[in-house]
Amino acid sequence: MGNAPPVADERIQKTQERMQLTKRDIAGFWKVFRKFDREHEGTITMETFFIDICQEERNLFGDAIFDLIDTEDTACIEFGEFVQGVCTFAMFTVTDVLRFSFFIFDKDKNGYIDKDELDLFVNTLHTGGMGANIMQALKAIDFNGDGKFDFMEFSALHEKFPTVLYPAFRLQQQMCSNIMGAQWWHRKKAFMQNAKEDELRELEKQRRIEEKRAHKARNQQIRAEMGLGNYYSFAKKNRMKRDYLERMQPLAEVYLDADNQVQIKYPDPIKKMGDEQFEEKDDDEEDGNKGSRAQ
């Protein structure tokens, strides 16, 4: 294997795009990978990754990082898998790490962890044995009488007893320190956070534009139906008519969906007592218009 990184595969290309990695960044990842690819076969073993690079014992939790990105082999990883796996876990926030941990050990995927699942999780993280503080924390956990607790309670456990889940965060810290360096990841997270905030501001700007456009179109339609004079009139009958039309055509709800696409939802009309007078009038006007067209 040469000094230059191999041609970027699909994993690297996607990671580069998502994290805006430069060629220099990829070369930095390659330097670490090449150092531990001792057989020069383009792969490193999982044991090498965790023990030699991250300086942590390999366990079920660590393996789950590469399960998350769907690696081809459970024993070895290629360079593309290395970059994707590291960039995925290293960029996790505290909440992301907690959600990832919860998901791994929620074996039934029912949104709850029971005592047996928690015991497995803790034993997996603390392969060297559990100290008195951890034992005390486990005894203090309130399972609400049903032997289960949800993610909110899991998060509360971390806040109250951070030593229980500390090995998960230690793995992330070691990974960052030994691959690219802690400062590099700190700068990258800050850069990505700023980019995300800029993107959200732009999306919100687009949402407001669409909202304004939808509301303007609705109000123009009501004005055209009533006529400008009646629309702006303070006469009771005109104010009632305007209220009726606005309730029949409520303002559109403009929002961003899960894919950050602008969506428009039109609420159902709101009916009130007395609306019959306007509905009957509308019907009469429509019949009259049909008669005029027929002539």
Side-chain angles (χ1 to χ4, degrees), residues 83-95:
V83 173
Q84 186 182 23
V86 170
C87 287
T88 297
F89 186 65
M91 291 295 290
F92 274 180
T93 64
V94 171
T95 300

Side-chain angles (χ1 to χ4, degrees), residues 198-262:
D198 289 343
E199 181 184 5
L200 290 175
R201 278 193 291 268
E202 182 60 29
L203 288 170
E204 177 58 20
K205 179 180 177 181
Q206 295 177 16
R207 187 200 68 78
R208 289 197 301 267
I209 290 173
E210 290 300 323
E211 182 179 62
K212 185 176 180 179
R213 183 180 294 131
H215 292 179
K216 181 178 179 180
R218 173 258 201 179
N219 292 335
Q220 286 177 335
Q221 183 176 346
I222 294 175
R223 281 198 298 268
E225 188 169 345
M226 291 186 66
L228 284 177
N230 291 334
Y231 181 83
Y232 290 108
S233 172
F234 288 99
K236 182 177 179 180
K237 65 177 183 179
N238 290 326
R239 285 190 284 110
M240 291 177 63
K241 174 73 171 183
R242 177 174 170 177
D243 174 69
Y244 164 73
L245 292 175
E246 289 176 346
R247 285 187 287 102
M248 293 304 101
Q249 303 176 64
L251 290 173
E253 297 176 6
V254 184
Y255 63 96
L256 296 172
D257 63 17
D259 297 319
N260 286 328
Q261 298 297 312
V262 176

Side-chain angles (χ1 to χ4, degrees), residues 282-295:
D282 290 342
D283 292 340
D284 292 341
E285 290 175 353
E286 185 176 346
D287 291 340
N289 290 335
K290 287 180 180 178
S292 298
R293 287 195 294 273
Q295 293 176 1

Side-chain angles (χ1 to χ4, degrees), residues 34-253:
R34 184 166 56 90
K35 177 181 178 182
F36 293 94
D37 177 17
R38 298 186 176 95
E39 303 300 324
H40 306 293
E41 295 179 346
T43 63
I44 57 176
T45 66
M46 287 292 192
E47 282 74 14
T48 295
F49 176 82
F50 288 106
I51 296 175
D52 295 340
I53 299 179
C54 299
Q55 298 175 5
E56 293 283 338
E57 292 291 331
R58 180 185 177 184
N59 55 38
L60 179 63
F61 179 83
D63 286 351
I65 296 171
F66 291 96
D67 289 341
L68 183 65
I69 65 167
D70 194 24
T71 52
E72 300 293 332
D73 189 347
T74 58
C76 299
I77 53 174
E78 299 176 346
F79 182 57
E81 295 169 332
F82 171 81
V83 173
Q84 186 182 23
V86 170
C87 287
T88 297
F89 186 65
M91 291 295 290
F92 274 180
T93 64
V94 171
T95 300
D96 291 333
V97 173
L98 293 175
R99 288 194 180 279
F100 179 61
S101 304
F102 189 88
F103 179 80
I104 295 171
F105 292 93
D106 176 16
K107 296 298 183 182
D108 300 326
K109 305 308 177 197
N110 58 6
Y112 294 93
I113 287 183
D114 60 30
K115 188 177 184 305
D116 290 339
E117 290 170 336
L118 179 65
D119 288 343
L120 173 62
F121 176 53
V122 174
N123 285 323
T124 297
L125 291 181
H126 297 274
T127 53
M130 293 179 285
N133 290 339
I134 298 173
M135 298 297 292
Q136 179 184 357
L138 295 178
K139 291 179 180 178
I141 294 175
D142 181 9
F143 286 94
N144 295 328
D146 60 1
K148 300 177 180 179
F149 65 110
D150 59 20
F151 178 72
M152 293 300 292
E153 293 167 310
F154 187 72
S155 299
L157 168 67
H158 173 64
E159 288 189 21
K160 191 173 182 180
F161 302 104
T163 54
V164 174
L165 305 182
Y166 173 68
F169 294 93
R170 185 181 62 205
L171 172 60
Q172 187 187 51
Q173 293 167 4
Q174 290 288 89
M175 187 182 295
C176 292
S177 295
N178 298 323
I179 304 173
M180 303 300 284
Q183 286 300 316
W184 186 91
W185 289 103
H186 178 75
R187 290 192 299 269
K188 176 57 67 175
K189 287 181 178 181
F191 174 81
M192 295 298 293
Q193 180 62 32
N194 290 335
K196 182 178 180 180
E197 291 173 358
D198 289 343
E199 181 184 5
L200 290 175
R201 278 193 291 268
E202 182 60 29
L203 288 170
E204 177 58 20
K205 179 180 177 181
Q206 295 177 16
R207 187 200 68 78
R208 289 197 301 267
I209 290 173
E210 290 300 323
E211 182 179 62
K212 185 176 180 179
R213 183 180 294 131
H215 292 179
K216 181 178 179 180
R218 173 258 201 179
N219 292 335
Q220 286 177 335
Q221 183 176 346
I222 294 175
R223 281 198 298 268
E225 188 169 345
M226 291 186 66
L228 284 177
N230 291 334
Y231 181 83
Y232 290 108
S233 172
F234 288 99
K236 182 177 179 180
K237 65 177 183 179
N238 290 326
R239 285 190 284 110
M240 291 177 63
K241 174 73 171 183
R242 177 174 170 177
D243 174 69
Y244 164 73
L245 292 175
E246 289 176 346
R247 285 187 287 102
M248 293 304 101
Q249 303 176 64
L251 290 173
E253 297 176 6

